[in-house]
Amino acid sequence: MRLLLFFFILHLHNFFQISSPQTLPKNTTGYTCNLNQTASSCQTYAFFQPMGPNQLDLASISDLFSVSRAMIAKPSNITSLTSPLVPNQQLFIPLTCTCNSVHTTTTLSYAKLNYTIKKGDTFYFVSTNLFHNLTTYQSVETVNPNLVPINLTIGQDVIFPIFCKCPTKTQVQNQVNYLISYVFQPFDSVSSIASRFGSTTTLIVEVNGDDIRTWDTVFVPVSRLPELTQPSPTSVSFDHMSDRRGEVIGLEIVLGVCGVLLILIGGLWTYRESLWRKKLGKNKVDPESKKFEVGVSLMADVSDCLDKYKVYKFEELHEATHGFDERWVIKGSVFKGYIDGKWYAIKKMKWNACEELKILQKVNHGNLVMLEGFCIDTDDSNCYLVYEYLENGSLYTRLHDSKKERLSWRRRLRIAVDIANGLQYIHEHTIPRVVHKDVKSSNILLDAQMRAKIANFGLAKSGCNAMTRHIVGTQGYVAPEYLSDGIVSTKMDVFSFGVILLELISGREAINDQGKALWVEVYENFNGNEEKLKPKVKAFIDDAILRESCSIDSVMNVMSIAIASLHRDPSRRPSMVDIVYALCKSDDLFTDLSEVGLSQHQVLAR
Ligand SMILES: *[C@@H]1O[C@H](CO)[C@@H](O)[C@H](O)[C@H]1NC(C)=O
Ligand SMILES: *[C@@H]1O[C@H](CO)[C@@H](O)[C@H](O)[C@H]1NC(C)=O
Ligand SMILES: *[C@@H]1O[C@H](CO)[C@@H](O)[C@H](O)[C@H]1NC(C)=O
Ligand SMILES: *[C@@H]1O[C@H](CO)[C@@H](O)[C@H](O)[C@H]1NC(C)=O
Ligand SMILES: *[C@@H]1O[C@H](CO)[C@@H](O)[C@H](O)[C@H]1NC(C)=O
Ligand SMILES: *[C@@H]1O[C@H](CO)[C@@H](O)[C@H](O)[C@H]1NC(C)=O
């Protein structure tokens, strides 16, 4: 039995941009200030859009930012303090911004927010998920030098430095009275921000430089706070939101199976050491020097599930990746490494406990990316996970990189069947069922034979029909019922799979440049009867497929599966079992053109 982890490998979709000259890491500790130029403190605002069920009322937002509800309502043009908020409603949060010296040499500009640690919190989680990247975990570490990030206690008060800036004297003279803190989103451009806040691109670039990246905090210079338009209370519904730009912000939580491994191993070490002590009586053994070997031997002889992992030495991985050289980065903190004549993908992560290991122990399937082993570096408290390396990168890159040769319909169909098989496996053959929760083309990896494997199990949930506290997932793929009510079920994966089918058919991205989701378009355009549908589908199909002499009925059939998978009512979406069956029909259809017509539109006619 091989133990697989098929989650979080590489979000490979920037794979082919590695060589472009933008990879130098940006300062993450915060934004410097100079007391000679700015006031030591000022009143400013952060732009904030609530997400997830826990943030959908003013009270929880005002608690989070330690201000009163009225202080948010007034600048945000909200009249009722008690009516609920909708996801991504626009808010201005008042901040008291100060210039603070953190070391003798560094002064950082931020608003000090008191945050009380709750169960499961990490600096990373709170920074990215609660404060939506208005700060970074590195900055939190810098500002709280006395806290041990991996040993937080519930109820502990931590200062979260919310990034902000005060205008300089020169800026004030030029009528710049506020620098609004705004987190740059994936679909943003400098000019879109300028028009949103009534600023200009020149001013924004002057303050922030021109190397602005996604999730950076941008300071938008304005002379007065722009007026926000708020939804009228009656139109609060998903349909209303879906018309708005950027209605779902994808959250990709880095997870920490590592943490679980570490805890397990730590426990085993302690156990083993106590055994040793008993055996050896008073003979002293230096536990430090033995730790690694002990870990390895324990892995080998104690655990049923862990013994199939290979335990790598740090030196081995260091060498394999040329010292974790930037040029060997696949994406983010995932490196390509060469060990014993084979390529691997090596993910570096911090300690961070969670329950994923439970899930991963249960899965083993050819359409799920496989974990080969891991390594724990006790010196810098990092953990490394080593996965099989998939040569052809992500489906996202393969589909949407214009430099790549277009995939044939046959290939696309195979990929769809592979993904469906992988999902069927986790939905049907694990107890309790596993929901991936972040099915998207960048989490589908392709091997040398262009067979697809599902990666990145980072958000996965075990057990069905649960409600969740935190909305995660990716814009353009998230099922509406999950977004609005936090309902977790296998049918949310079915929905996301439907979106991937649309990508395969149309060759277009799940979210277009205007931030509109592909599935919304399907809701709008593909609701007539079959006769009306056919010409519309033809217009939707990727030109590359149309140029092939492939069976249009095969494409139509897959389109009808996609439409069924995207049904608004989760209970009316087909299960992955139905989908695998229907897709294989398409596959037959394509192989044997004489059978054309037998099964088209079967799913639509449901
Ligand atoms: C980034 O950090 C380096 C050194 O730590 C410093 O010299 C530089 O000014 C910083 N850049 C910004 C934009 O704060
Ligand atoms: C601020 O001004 C003082 C004197 O006016 C000078 O000594 C100091 O170096 C300045 N600090 C910075 C960071 O420019
Ligand atoms: C944070 O809260 C604690 C107690 O709740 C208080 O002692 C401390 O002064 C607060 N810190 C700040 C920066 O407000
Ligand atoms: C973790 O925190 C607890 C309580 O704050 C403390 O007693 C313990 O020594 C800490 N452990 C480490 C490894 O820092
Ligand atoms: C506030 O919101 C309402 C309703 O969305 C809008 O009509 C109005 O122009 C906004 N601005 C002010 C200052 O009330
Ligand atoms: C915060 O940034 C991380 C990447 O560093 C991103 O994955 C996450 O979605 C962002 N969070 C929000 C709420 O935008």
Side-chain angles (χ1 to χ4, degrees):
M1 170 194 115
R2 278 208 98 146
L3 179 55
L4 294 190
L5 302 180
F6 65 115
F7 50 109
F8 59 64
I9 281 232
L10 20 160
H11 297 221
L12 270 170
H13 54 77
N14 284 337
F15 188 84
F16 289 94
Q17 290 163 20
I18 295 164
S19 51
S20 65
Q22 50 100 33
T23 39
L24 268 184
K26 207 160 168 153
N27 282 357
T28 45
T29 47
Y31 298 81
T32 54
C33 51
N34 183 340
L35 276 175
N36 289 357
Q37 291 164 11
T38 63
S40 64
S41 116
C42 66
Q43 185 67 46
T44 183
Y45 295 89
F47 184 81
F48 188 85
Q49 295 181 289
M51 274 180 247
N54 281 1
Q55 295 191 333
L56 295 186
D57 60 272
L58 266 185
S60 47
I61 307 272
S62 65
D63 283 352
L64 183 63
F65 287 94
S66 315
V67 290
S68 72
R69 288 178 296 174
M71 283 165 77
I72 300 175
K74 192 157 176 290
S76 308
N77 185 19
I78 291 176
T79 43
S80 159
L81 294 186
T82 48
S83 62
L85 306 175
V86 297
N88 291 298
Q89 186 162 350
Q90 317 182 66
L91 301 176
F92 279 129
I93 315 280
L95 300 172
T96 305
C97 190
T98 53
C99 192
N100 313 275
S101 54
V102 286
H103 295 304
T104 43
T105 49
T106 327
T107 46
L108 292 182
S109 183
Y110 56 76
K112 280 186 203 175
L113 282 193
N114 230 350
Y115 179 83
T116 309
I117 294 295
K118 293 175 192 58
K119 190 161 180 286
D121 280 343
T122 61
F123 290 175
Y124 179 82
F125 179 83
V126 176
S127 312
T128 55
N129 283 23
L130 301 184
F131 289 116
H132 299 182
N133 296 320
L134 280 165
T135 185
T136 60
Y137 74 91
Q138 292 95 335
S139 190
V140 182
E141 284 175 14
T142 309
V143 169
N144 299 279
N146 300 328
L147 298 183
V148 184
I150 54 166
N151 187 26
L152 299 176
T153 41
I154 294 171
Q156 190 163 36
D157 281 318
V158 176
I159 294 173
F160 274 76
I162 301 302
F163 297 149
C164 60
K165 261 190 182 174
C166 295
T168 63
K169 282 157 199 154
T170 337
Q171 283 166 336
V172 175
Q173 277 159 18
N174 293 328
Q175 312 286 307
V176 170
N177 295 319
Y178 298 109
L179 295 166
I180 300 170
S181 303
Y182 175 80
V183 177
F184 199 85
Q185 302 294 319
F187 46 79
D188 275 330
S189 66
V190 171
S191 55
S192 72
I193 295 175
S195 69
R196 176 176 216 162
F197 293 101
S199 185
T200 66
T201 48
T202 329
L203 278 175
I204 294 176
V205 170
E206 226 167 77
V207 175
N208 302 281
D210 54 9
D211 182 22
I212 301 173
R213 302 179 195 178
T214 306
W215 314 124
D216 278 354
T217 301
V218 177
F219 303 99
V220 189
V222 294
S223 57
R224 57 186 194 84
L225 217 52
E227 273 174 17
L228 297 179
T229 312
Q230 299 297 351
S232 57
T234 49
S235 65
V236 177
S237 74
F238 184 75
D239 287 344
H240 168 81
M241 286 158 45
S242 63
D243 294 330
R244 284 178 28 203
R245 196 157 172 222
E247 78 270 30
V248 187
I249 305 300
L251 300 184
E252 299 177 8
I253 304 177
V254 167
L255 44 126
V257 166
C258 262
V260 175
L261 287 175
L262 281 172
I263 289 166
L264 260 166
I265 294 163
L268 294 177
W269 276 340
T270 322
Y271 174 68
R272 178 59 171 256
E273 270 178 34
S274 68
L275 280 186
W276 261 10
R277 294 239 164 83
K278 275 182 199 152
K279 268 192 203 158
L280 295 174
K282 293 211 154 73
N283 289 351
K284 274 251 167 192
V285 175
D286 175 16
E288 264 316 303
S289 67
K290 289 285 178 202
K291 254 185 185 173
F292 188 75
E293 288 80 6
V294 173
V296 175
S297 68
L298 276 172
M299 300 301 290
D301 63 28
V302 179
S303 167
D304 224 18
C305 63
L306 291 179
D307 64 352
K308 302 300 188 241
Y309 281 130
K310 180 163 168 35
V311 181
Y312 293 89
K313 290 207 172 74
F314 176 71
E315 293 71 32
E316 229 175 326
L317 301 186
H318 193 263
E319 193 180 322
T321 56
H322 293 222
F324 296 98
D325 190 292
E326 221 174 70
R327 281 167 301 170
W328 292 67
V329 170
I330 297 173
K331 173 95 204 302
S333 55
V334 181
F335 296 80
K336 191 173 159 174
Y338 196 66
I339 307 169
D340 293 338
K342 247 187 104 181
W343 288 104
Y344 293 92
I346 300 167
K347 174 146 183 150
K348 174 178 173 177
M349 49 196 317
K350 281 277 169 206
W351 302 14
N352 188 0
C354 66
E355 67 167 54
E356 261 69 24
L357 193 63
K358 282 188 223 149
I359 294 171
L360 300 163
Q361 287 173 355
K362 293 185 302 204
V363 300
N364 180 3
H365 190 274
N367 293 118
L368 311 175
V369 168
M370 173 148 49
L371 179 82
E372 306 276 355
F374 65 95
C375 158
I376 287 144
D377 179 18
T378 39
D379 291 345
D380 64 359
S381 68
N382 279 327
C383 165
Y384 301 83
L385 297 180
V386 181
Y387 301 90
E388 64 175 321
Y389 177 76
L390 298 180
E391 292 81 351
N392 272 312
S394 76
L395 175 61
Y396 177 92
T397 325
R398 203 59 190 70
L399 272 180
H400 305 306
D401 185 333
S402 54
K403 292 192 287 291
K404 308 238 122 197
E405 185 202 335
R406 311 300 293 160
L407 290 171
S408 70
W409 176 242
R410 168 139 212 102
R411 277 255 149 83
R412 294 183 204 211
L413 201 50
R414 281 270 87 205
I415 289 169
V417 173
D418 284 342
I419 305 168
N421 273 322
L423 287 175
Q424 183 197 357
Y425 173 81
I426 62 167
H427 288 177
E428 303 294 332
H429 301 287
T430 56
I431 304 169
R433 298 173 177 210
V434 169
V435 182
H436 184 285
K437 289 181 76 184
D438 200 16
V439 176
K440 56 176 171 178
S441 56
S442 56
N443 279 341
I444 306 298
L445 303 182
L446 302 170
D447 72 7
Q449 283 76 46
M450 295 300 278
R451 299 307 295 260
K453 296 184 183 227
I454 303 170
N456 202 338
F457 214 26
L459 303 180
K461 259 256 176 328
S462 166
C464 243
N465 300 323
M467 301 284 277
T468 185
R469 284 193 314 139
H470 301 289
I471 297 294
V472 292
T474 302
Q475 188 181 18
Y477 295 91
V478 176
E481 78 278 2
Y482 174 66
L483 187 76
S484 55
D485 304 321
I487 297 171
V488 178
S489 77
T490 51
K491 293 298 175 71
M492 69 181 285
D493 284 350
V494 171
F495 184 94
S496 310
F497 177 76
V499 177
I500 294 189
L501 289 182
L502 296 182
E503 280 183 88
L504 287 167
I505 294 168
S506 68
R508 285 157 54 190
E509 296 192 34
I511 283 276
N512 70 11
D513 294 341
Q514 281 77 50
K516 184 167 179 178
L518 201 51
W519 62 263
V520 171
E521 215 170 296
V522 169
Y523 277 18
E524 286 166 358
N525 293 332
F526 295 83
N527 45 17
N529 61 31
E530 284 173 42
E531 285 318 303
K532 283 197 204 144
L533 219 55
K534 204 156 179 172
K536 285 182 186 167
V537 173
K538 270 195 176 149
F540 187 73
I541 295 175
D542 193 343
D543 292 343
I545 299 178
L546 283 179
R547 281 195 299 273
E548 280 177 52
S549 56
C550 79
S551 154
I552 195 75
D553 291 301
S554 168
V555 186
M556 289 296 290
N557 188 37
V558 175
M559 186 70 194
S560 61
I561 297 169
I563 293 171
S565 307
L566 295 169
H567 203 289
R568 255 173 221 280
D569 178 356
S571 65
R572 297 190 59 190
R573 291 175 205 151
S575 70
M576 277 331 285
V577 181
D578 301 334
I579 291 175
V580 168
Y581 178 75
L583 278 175
C584 290
K585 273 263 168 81
S586 297
D587 209 7
D588 294 346
L589 209 94
F590 184 60
T591 321
D592 183 359
L593 289 176
S594 64
E595 275 182 38
V596 164
L598 281 182
S599 56
Q600 55 172 307
H601 305 316
Q602 56 181 20
V603 180
L604 260 194
R606 215 166 20 96

